[in-house]
Amino acid sequence: MSEDKIQVSEFDVIPGGSLLSHEKEWNGFVCKFSYTCQGGTKEQWLMGLSLNKDQTKFQCSVERPGGGGSYLFFQSFKLEISGADVKEGEAAGSSNAPLKPSEYVVDLKENMIADVPGKFASHLERVTLYSEKGRSEL
């Protein structure tokens, strides 16, 4: 995706086992990251949004800054997009290695990527969704 516009927001991932979320709206698109986790203290994470020049392709990613590892143990995660149709998603765990396909699911109808309960190994360092806005006929 040739990224013409990028927005980045910093937020804290806070352990404690409660369901928490961070949401960012931009140009009619909304990206929402929800999670529960355990571990020491909070960690700083980034949400990056990118939009191509003709505003038809939108990408949302959530990750540790600079590829730094996370010491938190995630019990669940979900990344959702509204305003566009999800086409693909990916997630990475320890050392930024891709999660096993059995650990997460990309649901195109629900426009999200999420952990698979009982299969997810609790390590998350990056999660990304790629989407496209539907074209309207003239």
Side-chain angles (χ1 to χ4, degrees):
M1 181 169 150
S2 63
E3 299 153 312
D4 290 358
K5 298 178 184 178
I6 298 172
Q7 270 198 12
V8 177
S9 61
E10 296 179 354
F11 67 101
D12 290 329
V13 170
I14 302 169
S18 298
L19 178 63
L20 300 172
S21 63
H22 178 75
E23 184 175 306
K24 184 79 175 163
E25 188 275 332
W26 184 33
N27 216 28
F29 300 98
V30 179
C31 184
K32 181 178 179 183
F33 177 63
S34 304
Y35 66 91
T36 56
C37 68
Q38 297 286 350
T41 58
K42 66 184 179 184
E43 289 182 346
Q44 187 177 65
W45 282 59
L46 299 175
M47 177 178 279
L49 310 176
S50 59
L51 188 59
N52 70 340
K53 191 174 185 175
D54 63 2
Q55 300 185 18
T56 58
K57 294 183 180 182
F58 178 71
Q59 176 183 319
C60 176
S61 65
V62 172
E63 62 190 288
R64 286 284 285 151
S70 174
Y71 57 82
L72 297 175
F73 292 94
F74 283 83
Q75 295 155 293
S76 68
F77 74 88
K78 179 167 61 170
L79 184 63
E80 307 167 83
I81 286 179
S82 59
D85 298 323
V86 167
K87 300 298 182 188
E88 188 180 346
E90 59 189 28
S94 296
S95 301
N96 226 7
L99 294 184
K100 294 176 186 171
S102 61
E103 291 186 79
Y104 69 96
V105 62
V106 178
D107 187 329
L108 301 180
K109 285 186 178 182
E110 296 295 323
N111 282 329
M112 61 134 197
I113 182 172
D115 67 284
V116 174
K119 303 279 185 178
F120 175 51
S122 301
H123 296 287
L124 186 69
E125 291 183 9
R126 180 178 41 83
V127 60
T128 306
L129 282 175
Y130 305 92
S131 65
E132 292 182 13
K133 191 169 189 169
R135 295 188 185 271
S136 58
E137 296 295 322
L138 296 178

